Amino acid sequence: MHNTIYILGISAYYHDSAAALLADGKIIAAAQEERFTRKKHDPDFPVNAISYCLHEAGITIEQVSDVVFYDKPMIKFERLLETYLAYAPNGFRSFVSAMPVWMKEKLYIKTTLKRELSKLCECKQAALPNLLFSEHHQAHAASAFFASPFQKAAVLCLDGVGEWASTSAWQGDGNTLQALWQMDFPHSLGLLYSAFTYYTGFKVNSGEYKLMGLAPYGEPKYVDLILNNLLDLKEDGTFRLDMAYFNYATGLTMINARFADLFGAPARKPEGALTQREMDIARSIQDVTEEIVLRLAKTVQQETGAEYLCLAGGVALNCVANGRLLREGPFKDIWIQPAAGDAGGALGAALVVWHEKYKGQRTADNVHDAMSGSYLGPRFAATDIESCLNALGARYAKIADEQLMPQLAQLLADEQVLGWFQGRMEFGPRALGGRSIIGDPRSSKMQSVMNLKIKFRESFRPFAPSVLAEDVSAYFKLDRPSPYMLIVADVKEEHRIPMTEAQQQLFGIEKLNVLRSTLPSITHVDNSARIQTIHTETNPRYHALASAFKEKTGCPVLVNTSFNVRGEPIVCTPEDAYRCFMRTNMDCLVIENYLLLKPEQPKWDDDKKWMQEFELD
């Protein structure tokens, strides 16, 4: 009898800790620790995520064959030492502040992991599975290629930095993955983008989306300044940064005074006024990033002759660059790992072991990927939901789908904002109709209502459309699925509203309130949208909801944003969902088949302390 081979992948101790579990190479479960602890980007040992993965598979840690960590700490430590020596005595302060953590935890990560795992399963260390380590970029590359639909593909990993690599190219074929070349720290596209995130007053490692969202309001005025001073970009997309302007190799900040002088002003204070200048800077670095990504893609295509490209690493979450890559790049198709950041490293590390150690085979049909729509997190049974709602004193009605979907379609058409909680939680930073807040995209007030009254965040931030997969081409310039909301494409001309001459004179943020299309709340200022296609195979209930809305209104599109308030991780449990629902101006909440209406709920009093609880993201 065949014993199932279980492989547990872990990423931890930097940011976005996570765990993922494979059973004979099939992805059974994956989740980020932040969803359980409610601490955004939680870097701690993912004790809750691991417990969940084991519970989902119905096994204990002793039944796991291998535990694999997504990173090689010794090599990373060498980089810190070498970097310090190369720049000494400059980095003394940051060196001294980093060392205790390294000496205590990270260098002895094997010991740390064994201690944590035996504590978790209350067993002796001798009973624990093998402990293995993959390289950081190897884990990214594996998460991109092995989970992709392609039999053969080129792979690009772009992020801040792993051990040394900041950009790496790979060639995937069947169940093998071969490294081609890499660019090393400190020359990093991820860190360059983060330096601008920091300079424009946003938070590094989470504010990069804002920079991307702000870019269309600006003009690319600083592109030459960036290319002439900050980096030497080659025709093939490789580059070197001039470290005289940056502080991240040695200091505790991203940039230094020279950087600020080059752009003629100090960094914007977080939460300070956003001016046209920040918008122009955002647009400029976005344009430079896209140019680098396009050049690198052309290079790797010429080197491999591949028809397909897979992407991972934090920079792969730049869906504007991905959209351009799809339209202008040399590949027939591209696939991006939905958990492209460090959380996805847990999954990639497990896939490395399955294919390298166990020579696991994979079948790829160029259509279906291995991610199950990224719905890899916890789901909740009706009995659990009911006892949770009863304990909270919530008022609810249980309604079968046949009646529920038309009722929800009507509520949405009446411009009600709906908390939507069903099925398994998504793995990766996007809500994809498992833990979403949804609204009517035809409503002209929906964007500002959702931003200011529900998410409590900046008004310029765009929202994404979820569209029935079969209708995507009727509304958007996209002829293929985009299930993970990682590709930006334009709204088709026939749905746009031409701007008046006066509107065309508007600058920057003034453009925000101009109606651009018949779907104003999902159309960004440059007529683009970050698209998620909804598929019956992976999310039948979300598909049914969008279908009911289409039947009622003729519109197959919903506004979809993640179910959380600003600075809070996406909700995981029914209790998280109810709390978020009661703290915001959401009108209704659906948890599986339970419908809750705001006016019927008991008075909710938690004195707004939570506003301070979550740091602004």
Side-chain angles (χ1 to χ4, degrees):
M1 191 183 133
H2 163 73
N3 277 347
T4 306
I5 295 169
Y6 290 104
I7 303 168
L8 178 67
I10 295 176
S11 75
Y13 304 127
Y14 295 97
H15 46 90
D16 296 311
S17 291
L21 185 69
L22 305 182
D24 288 340
K26 186 177 170 4
I27 306 166
I28 296 292
Q32 239 170 286
E33 186 67 5
E34 64 162 29
R35 306 291 170 86
F36 303 95
T37 60
R38 315 307 300 147
K39 256 171 61 188
K40 198 156 182 158
H41 304 300
D42 193 340
D44 292 342
F45 184 76
V47 58
N48 299 283
I50 293 170
S51 303
Y52 153 68
C53 287
L54 296 173
H55 177 77
E56 184 65 37
I59 59 170
T60 63
I61 194 91
E62 290 95 333
Q63 289 163 274
V64 172
S65 319
D66 306 85
V67 174
V68 52
F69 191 70
Y70 82 128
D71 201 79
K72 294 200 168 164
M74 266 324 280
I75 306 177
K76 194 168 262 197
F77 184 64
E78 278 170 24
R79 183 194 83 220
L80 279 187
L81 285 179
E82 279 187 41
T83 302
Y84 169 62
L85 292 172
Y87 291 95
N90 278 355
F92 193 67
R93 258 179 62 216
S94 70
F95 181 74
V96 166
S97 70
M99 274 317 101
V101 182
W102 276 93
M103 289 312 190
K104 196 165 96 243
E105 282 171 7
K106 295 184 178 175
L107 264 189
Y108 302 104
I109 213 150
K110 234 179 172 148
T111 319
T112 311
L113 289 172
K114 284 187 166 162
R115 188 180 65 235
E116 292 289 356
L117 286 166
S118 61
K119 198 163 78 189
L120 171 83
C121 68
E122 297 171 353
C123 61
K124 290 201 162 57
Q125 292 197 5
L128 290 173
N130 290 323
L131 190 53
L132 304 167
F133 294 83
S134 82
E135 281 188 9
H136 187 93
H137 268 238
Q138 181 188 21
H140 275 320
S143 78
F145 176 65
F146 291 135
S148 83
F150 309 134
Q151 187 59 35
K152 280 186 170 175
V155 183
L156 268 177
C157 302
L158 307 143
D159 65 1
V161 59
E163 293 87 4
W164 275 104
S166 59
T167 298
S168 61
W170 305 71
Q171 187 158 16
D173 186 350
N175 63 340
T176 62
L177 189 58
Q178 182 197 348
L180 301 174
W181 50 264
Q182 66 183 51
M183 279 163 58
D184 284 346
F185 183 86
H187 309 291
S188 160
L189 182 54
L191 293 172
L192 174 68
Y193 204 84
S194 293
F196 280 89
T197 302
Y198 176 87
Y199 182 63
T200 47
F202 300 121
K203 206 169 172 182
V204 171
N205 282 334
S206 65
E208 284 77 7
Y209 296 119
K210 300 187 190 181
L211 204 59
M212 185 175 72
L214 202 54
Y217 294 100
E219 305 296 323
K221 290 180 179 171
Y222 297 94
V223 167
D224 291 343
L225 191 70
I226 294 170
L227 290 175
N228 293 336
N229 295 279
L230 297 185
L231 73 158
D232 174 18
L233 175 61
K234 301 279 186 276
E235 200 45 52
D236 65 3
T238 60
F239 60 87
R240 290 186 73 78
L241 297 179
D242 182 344
M243 294 310 293
Y245 292 97
F246 299 95
N247 202 16
Y248 58 75
T250 57
L252 300 170
T253 54
M254 293 300 297
I255 56 167
N256 58 23
R258 270 190 76 173
F259 186 104
D261 291 345
L262 180 65
F263 288 92
R268 179 181 81 108
K269 296 262 183 292
E271 306 296 305
L274 269 174
T275 66
Q276 188 61 44
R277 194 169 162 276
E278 279 81 34
M279 296 171 204
D280 294 341
I281 286 173
R283 173 66 186 275
S284 305
I285 188 59
Q286 178 64 30
D287 281 15
V288 168
T289 300
E290 290 170 26
E291 182 58 34
I292 293 172
V293 170
L294 279 166
R295 287 189 194 186
L296 288 170
K298 285 195 182 101
T299 300
V300 71
Q301 199 283 327
Q302 283 160 1
E303 289 173 350
T304 60
E307 293 185 288
Y308 300 103
L309 175 70
C310 303
L311 293 166
V315 179
L317 295 170
N318 191 311
C319 40
V320 181
N322 296 341
R324 265 193 78 186
L325 190 51
L326 195 56
R327 290 191 302 277
E328 300 170 36
F331 293 95
K332 206 191 257 184
D333 205 354
I334 66 175
W335 188 83
I336 306 125
Q337 165 55 245
D342 275 7
L347 174 62
L351 287 165
V352 167
V353 173
W354 172 244
H355 289 289
E356 288 205 348
K357 179 175 172 181
Y358 295 101
K359 304 289 177 254
Q361 296 303 309
R362 58 189 279 272
T363 46
D365 61 4
N366 286 347
V367 181
H368 300 94
D369 65 43
M371 294 295 295
S372 309
S374 219
Y375 307 109
L376 297 167
R379 63 151 23 107
F380 293 85
T383 47
D384 297 337
I385 295 166
E386 231 168 272
S387 54
C388 166
L389 292 176
N390 291 339
L392 290 162
R395 307 272 183 278
Y396 56 85
K398 189 174 187 184
I399 306 169
D401 276 5
E402 299 70 49
Q403 290 81 52
L404 182 62
M405 297 305 172
Q407 192 176 343
L408 296 178
Q410 184 61 59
L411 288 167
L412 288 164
D414 294 337
E415 295 189 277
Q416 302 272 297
V417 177
L418 188 62
W420 171 256
F421 181 111
Q422 57 93 38
R424 293 180 71 176
M425 180 177 72
E426 303 87 343
F427 183 51
R430 309 265 73 98
L432 302 168
R435 306 284 184 273
S436 292
I437 298 172
I438 48 188
D440 183 345
R442 303 166 309 153
S443 159
S444 54
K445 63 178 192 183
M446 197 51 70
Q447 184 193 7
S448 65
V449 165
M450 277 188 161
N451 265 329
L452 302 172
K453 293 190 165 178
I454 290 160
K455 303 283 277 196
F456 305 114
R457 64 181 206 181
E458 303 90 340
S459 61
F460 70 82
R461 294 176 66 178
F463 284 111
S466 287
V467 55
L468 293 171
E470 52 274 31
D471 289 322
V472 65
S473 305
Y475 281 80
F476 304 100
K477 291 184 176 174
L478 187 67
D479 58 356
R480 62 199 68 202
S482 170
Y484 305 121
M485 212 188 270
L486 286 169
I487 290 167
V488 164
D490 285 347
V491 173
K492 286 183 116 167
E493 275 87 355
E494 62 258 40
H495 300 290
R496 295 186 200 169
I497 297 169
M499 288 170 79
T500 62
E501 292 219 345
Q503 286 171 337
Q504 282 169 2
Q505 302 311 306
L506 293 174
F507 238 94
I509 214 88
E510 299 167 341
K511 299 176 182 173
L512 177 65
N513 298 319
V514 177
L515 283 189
R516 304 180 170 273
S517 81
T518 55
L519 302 175
S521 53
I522 55 95
T523 307
H524 203 19
V525 289
D526 53 358
N527 293 312
S528 70
R530 188 176 74 194
I531 297 160
Q532 180 211 352
T533 48
I534 314 174
H535 303 262
T536 37
E537 307 82 26
T538 50
N539 199 336
R541 285 192 81 223
Y542 195 36
H543 193 278
L545 176 67
S547 301
F549 185 70
K550 179 186 177 182
E551 205 166 300
K552 174 139 323 271
T553 64
C555 173
V557 184
L558 296 167
V559 183
N560 170 15
T561 186
S562 53
F563 199 149
N564 58 336
V565 293
R566 155 182 201 178
E568 174 194 28
I570 294 175
V571 299
C572 175
T573 65
E575 190 179 347
D576 297 337
Y578 187 75
R579 193 183 306 125
C580 187
F581 167 61
M582 293 305 290
R583 285 171 168 179
T584 61
N585 293 346
M586 239 179 284
D587 302 294
C588 4
L589 169 62
V590 191
I591 302 181
E592 299 295 351
N593 288 89
Y594 298 88
L595 174 63
L596 296 85
L597 303 174
K598 183 62 74 53
E600 295 174 3
Q601 302 310 309
K603 190 172 171 335
W604 178 263
D605 182 33
D606 68 348
D607 65 20
K608 296 275 184 276
K609 271 206 191 83
W610 60 276
M611 284 274 199
Q612 282 80 56
E613 192 182 308
F614 299 120
E615 272 186 75
L616 297 175
D617 55 349

